[in-house]
């Protein structure tokens, strides 16, 4: 009897939660298939596509949590206070490791903007250390290049967005 009373009392919240979960899974599936298609179109390694899927899944899960908290009656000012406290702590931690965050962000930008792909020959326009090589792999933190002499060079992704790149083909 107690369970029935609870269900009747919270019926609108339960329905809203169910609809939210259905929308979450539909959006998650759509995003996963979109990233898979874009990765295949650009001939990116499967591991890299999976990494981008994980980033999107984390973002969607955080959004789901925020929506569910608001559905069940937590006041918006309490949510924003909690989120701002967490972001402050995370921000301080990431400020100390800004290069990691910038490389991950650059990796995502490179994934979606398609300026070059694995197998392309590029020339990195650096006045002190120009590099001409073939792209062997693009990961979330760095891009692996192979020169004509066989040397393998690892370049952080954020540098590839900062330097001029010529695609030789």
């Amino acid at each position: 009897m107690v369970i029935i009373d609870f269900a009747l009392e919270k019926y609108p919240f339960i329905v809203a939660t169910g609809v939210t979960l259905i929308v979450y899974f539909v959006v998650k599936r759509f995003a996963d298939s979109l990233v898979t298609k874009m990765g295949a179109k650009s001939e990116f390694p499967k591991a890299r596509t999976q990494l981008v899927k994980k980033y999107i899944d984390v973002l969607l899960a955080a959004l789901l949590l925020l929506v569910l908290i608001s559905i069940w009656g937590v006041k918006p000012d309490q949510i924003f206070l909690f989120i701002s406290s967490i972001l402050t702590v995370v921000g301080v931690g990431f400020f100390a490791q800004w290069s990691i965050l910038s490389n991950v962000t650059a990796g995502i930008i490179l994934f979606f903007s398609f300026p070059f792909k694995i197998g392309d020959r590029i020339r990195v326009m650096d006045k002190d250390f120009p590099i001409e090589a073939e792209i062997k792999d693009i990961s979330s933190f760095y891009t692996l290049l192979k020169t004509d002499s066989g040397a393998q060079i690892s370049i952080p992704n954020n540098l590839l967005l900062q330097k001029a790149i010529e695609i030789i083909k």
Side-chain angles (χ1 to χ4, degrees), residues 13 18 26 28 54 59 67 87 116 118 148:
F13 302 112
V26 167
K28 182 181 179 311
K54 284 182 187 178
L59 179 66
V67 170
L87 289 178
F116 42 77
I118 294 172
D148 290 336

Side-chain angles (χ1 to χ4, degrees), residues 123-132 153:
R123 183 176 299 130
V124 179
M125 308 293 208
D126 187 347
K127 77 175 189 175
D128 295 329
F129 301 103
I131 300 170
E132 186 173 320
I153 301 171

Side-chain angles (χ1 to χ4, degrees), residues 103 106 110 115-116 122 124 135 137-138 142-145 155-165:
N103 280 322
L110 290 174
F116 42 77
I122 63 169
V124 179
I135 298 175
D137 188 23
I138 302 172
Y142 63 89
T143 297
L144 186 63
L145 305 174
I155 297 181
N157 287 332
N158 61 358
L159 286 181
L160 289 175
L161 291 180
Q162 295 171 6
K163 303 283 183 184
I165 305 290

Side-chain angles (χ1 to χ4, degrees), residues 61-132:
L63 186 60
L64 172 68
L65 182 64
L66 184 65
V67 170
L68 289 177
I69 287 172
S70 65
I71 286 173
W72 284 91
V74 178
K75 295 178 184 171
D77 57 337
Q78 293 172 336
I79 294 171
F80 292 123
L81 177 64
F82 177 72
I83 290 172
S84 66
S85 299
I86 288 178
L87 289 178
T88 301
V89 171
V90 169
V92 168
F94 275 135
F95 182 72
Q97 298 297 330
W98 71 270
S99 65
I100 292 173
L101 184 59
S102 69
N103 280 322
V104 170
T105 304
I108 292 171
I109 291 169
L110 290 174
F111 181 80
F112 286 108
S113 67
F114 309 117
F116 42 77
K117 64 181 188 259
I118 294 172
D120 284 350
R121 286 198 55 78
I122 63 169
R123 183 176 299 130
V124 179
M125 308 293 208
D126 187 347
K127 77 175 189 175
D128 295 329
F129 301 103
I131 300 170
E132 186 173 320

Side-chain angles (χ1 to χ4, degrees), residues 8-26:
L8 290 175
E9 180 182 329
K10 301 295 182 180
Y11 180 76
F13 302 112
I14 294 169
V15 169
T17 298
V19 169
T20 302
L21 289 172
I22 290 169
V23 169
Y24 166 77
F25 287 114
V26 167

